[in-house]
Amino acid sequence: MIKNLLRYLDSIIFGKPDPKEVKQNICMDKGYDYPDIREMVKDYGYTAHIRKRGEEIDEKKKIPGYRARRWVVERTHSWMNRFRRLLIRWEKKS
């Protein structure tokens, strides 16, 4: 995981502004919640926004009716996986 993150941070091709002038942010999911990764992102000049593991479970307990937010891509894939016309292939059946 660390190697992939290093490749990603090194492959950013556009020049970023000076960190002293503009604060640079990077959003990551809770799979990246490790001290090494947080430190690496900080070394590259980014402010990491990473959810802590277990944070979502605590919010579920505290807030009644709390629903976890999903990434747009995850939601879209979920819709496509259960899209009935594609799932059953109605056009191919006689």
Side-chain angles (χ1 to χ4, degrees), residues 48-66:
H49 298 279
I50 306 172
R51 285 193 75 120
K52 294 192 182 336
R53 285 174 270 151
E55 183 178 339
E56 193 173 307
I57 295 169
D58 292 341
E59 287 182 4
K60 269 187 183 179
K61 291 176 184 175
K62 291 178 186 174
I63 304 169
Y66 174 80

Side-chain angles (χ1 to χ4, degrees), residues 1-85:
M1 183 177 307
I2 291 177
K3 288 180 183 179
N4 290 339
L5 181 62
L6 272 174
R7 265 190 258 147
Y8 171 72
L9 292 174
D10 288 335
S11 70
I12 297 175
I13 56 174
F14 58 88
K16 65 179 188 173
D18 185 21
K20 296 172 186 169
E21 296 175 11
V22 179
K23 188 176 178 181
Q24 294 292 305
N25 298 299
I26 188 166
C27 296
M28 305 165 96
D29 62 5
K30 61 186 172 185
Y32 291 95
D33 186 24
Y34 295 99
D36 298 339
I37 291 179
R38 287 183 184 273
E39 186 178 321
M40 183 187 328
V41 169
K42 191 176 185 180
D43 291 342
Y44 273 83
Y46 291 98
T47 302
H49 298 279
I50 306 172
R51 285 193 75 120
K52 294 192 182 336
R53 285 174 270 151
E55 183 178 339
E56 193 173 307
I57 295 169
D58 292 341
E59 287 182 4
K60 269 187 183 179
K61 291 176 184 175
K62 291 178 186 174
I63 304 169
Y66 174 80
R67 292 185 58 205
R69 284 197 233 152
R70 297 182 80 176
W71 294 90
V72 174
V73 174
E74 289 178 352
R75 183 194 65 208
T76 306
H77 286 166
S78 174
W79 288 346
M80 293 304 289
N81 286 337
R82 298 306 305 165
F83 189 40
R84 192 149 179 81
R85 172 164 269 165

